[in-house]
Amino acid sequence: KWQVFVNWCNMNDVSPVDASEQNVAEFLLHIFNLGRAVSTVGAYRSAIQQTLRSRGRSDLDSSVVIPQLFRSFRLERPRNPRVMPQWDLSLILTALIKHPFEPLDVAAFRELSWKTYFLLLLASGRRRGDVHAIANDRVFSREISGELIAYPALDYLPKHIDAAEGGARFQPIIIPALTNAIGPSRREPDRLLCPVRAVRHYRHRTAAFRKDRKRLFIPFNPASTSELSLNTLSSWTKQLIRFVYRTATHQDLLLRDISAHEARAIAASLAVQSTFSLEDVLGTCVWKQHTTFTDHYLRDVSFLLGNLHTLGPIVAAGKVVG
């Protein structure tokens, strides 16, 4: 986003690092007029402010013009909040307990990767960047509880700097194991949606061709030596959901927008509507204010709870639900 701003400045004979409040306002108006959402324009503002702040400029922090500009943006293009989930979680989870995703030890590497990432994304309730940043050698399992604890690579910078390791809001990803939730006497089918089980299978499968790659998730191509990019990992969610809907027998189900963000929204909404406290879920998902969740991520998942009941317990936003 900073580079987009630089390109605009170059076209308008403006020095990016010396851009005035008026220059920045004109750029943001340009982005808005391209049809971008107000939240997207806000992300551009944050990128510009943070970059200029790192160079000793704080004048934009006290701007009067830019907040007024955003008020006009919101009046002209109000946000339509999403209420219903954009895809059917129960349909996805039902597919994950069948062929070609099970048995995990004989599933193709693509299907194993899709399933592990999706269950971990749902179970953690965290941003896709947080899951992408998990370091393979910093994944641990507590012997008694069986829960998985995952830490990011040491060089990872999250969206909010105070949530970086060592910061006040830092939280490692902690995933409960379904084995303890359902009891050791239950048979394997009840644990097919356990994210801890999937991660263990994935790490075992990738150990032979991981090479020097440090992140937990690696490319499908075993000959590759590069780390998996964030955008590629994020695309796994879309690929999985499209695959499930394409092969589903429930033809009356509609596929709407697909995004990894929606998995986070559904996970947090499930946890809250399953009577876990809002404060607890906010802490797990590393949200500072409840309005971030209620304004942007809260979904009505009441209709999902009945369908999910037939699948047994699942892990969502750090909690065992069901």
Side-chain angles (χ1 to χ4, degrees):
K1 288 177 170 56
W2 169 256
Q3 186 59 53
V4 173
F5 176 61
V6 170
N7 294 342
W8 180 88
C9 287
N10 291 338
M11 292 176 61
N12 290 274
D13 297 322
V14 174
S15 168
V17 296
D18 297 318
S20 67
E21 178 185 38
Q22 186 64 33
N23 294 144
V24 174
E26 290 174 0
F27 167 75
L28 296 175
L29 180 59
H30 163 71
I31 294 296
F32 180 77
N33 288 336
L34 291 177
R36 303 294 188 268
V38 178
S39 59
T40 302
V41 182
Y44 280 94
R45 175 182 62 179
S46 297
I48 295 169
Q49 284 183 303
Q50 290 180 26
T51 306
L52 295 181
R53 196 181 297 133
S54 71
R55 299 180 65 89
R57 286 190 55 187
S58 58
D59 51 301
L60 289 182
D61 295 341
S62 57
S63 169
V64 176
V65 173
I66 293 178
Q68 291 177 342
L69 184 63
F70 271 84
R71 279 193 286 273
S72 71
F73 288 167
R74 284 187 284 270
L75 287 173
E76 182 175 341
R77 195 175 297 157
R79 190 182 73 88
N80 294 319
R82 288 178 176 174
V83 176
M84 301 301 294
Q86 299 304 294
W87 32 262
D88 189 339
L89 176 63
S90 59
L91 180 69
I92 308 303
L93 295 180
T94 299
L96 291 181
I97 64 176
K98 302 176 181 178
H99 178 81
F101 301 98
E102 288 291 345
L104 268 187
D105 53 358
V106 296
F109 185 55
R110 184 187 72 168
E111 280 70 23
L112 170 63
S113 301
W114 282 351
K115 177 170 182 173
T116 304
Y117 173 59
F118 184 82
L119 290 181
L120 191 54
L121 195 66
L122 180 70
S124 66
R126 298 286 281 271
R127 294 181 177 85
R128 59 187 184 127
D130 293 351
V131 177
H132 173 258
I134 294 175
N136 184 60
D137 62 353
R138 305 188 77 201
V139 176
F140 309 99
S141 180
R142 287 178 176 164
E143 185 174 349
I144 297 177
S145 64
E147 65 184 6
L148 181 145
I149 307 175
Y151 289 84
L154 293 173
D155 60 350
Y156 174 57
L157 292 177
K159 181 177 181 180
H160 298 293
I161 302 303
D162 60 346
E165 190 164 357
R169 292 174 57 200
F170 173 73
Q171 295 281 348
I173 293 176
I174 302 178
I175 307 297
L178 282 183
T179 305
N180 278 32
I182 63 179
S185 62
R186 300 288 289 273
R187 303 300 298 172
E188 179 73 6
D190 295 297
R191 293 182 278 123
L192 297 183
L193 294 176
C194 177
V196 176
R197 166 182 175 267
V199 170
R200 286 174 177 165
H201 273 270
Y202 184 84
R203 296 182 74 201
H204 176 75
R205 182 84 69 90
T206 58
F209 53 89
R210 177 168 291 279
K211 299 177 183 177
D212 294 329
R213 288 171 291 206
K214 306 300 183 184
R215 301 296 174 98
L216 172 62
F217 291 103
I218 63 176
F220 293 152
N221 181 6
S224 172
T225 58
S226 61
E227 294 282 7
L228 186 71
S229 72
L230 173 59
N231 286 338
T232 299
L233 182 63
S234 183
S235 72
W236 289 3
T237 303
K238 299 180 180 181
Q239 293 171 27
L240 168 64
I241 294 173
R242 287 192 178 115
F243 173 84
V244 171
Y245 270 81
R246 190 169 58 246
T247 57
T249 56
H250 303 287
Q251 299 301 325
D252 57 328
L253 293 173
L254 297 176
L255 176 62
R256 287 175 270 179
D257 190 24
I258 304 176
S259 73
H261 253 55
E262 189 66 11
R264 191 173 190 226
I266 292 174
S269 299
L270 278 173
V272 169
Q273 294 185 42
S274 297
T275 70
F276 291 102
S277 73
L278 178 59
E279 291 74 15
D280 201 5
V281 173
L282 294 180
T284 299
C285 297
V286 199
W287 283 316
K288 190 174 184 178
Q289 298 178 331
H290 73 86
T291 52
T292 303
F293 169 59
T294 55
D295 289 353
H296 302 284
Y297 290 91
L298 180 60
R299 303 287 187 268
D300 180 3
V301 295
S302 54
F303 79 99
L304 283 176
L305 295 175
N307 294 335
L308 293 174
H309 179 72
T310 62
L311 293 170
I314 64 171
V315 184
K319 309 298 179 185
V320 177
V321 176

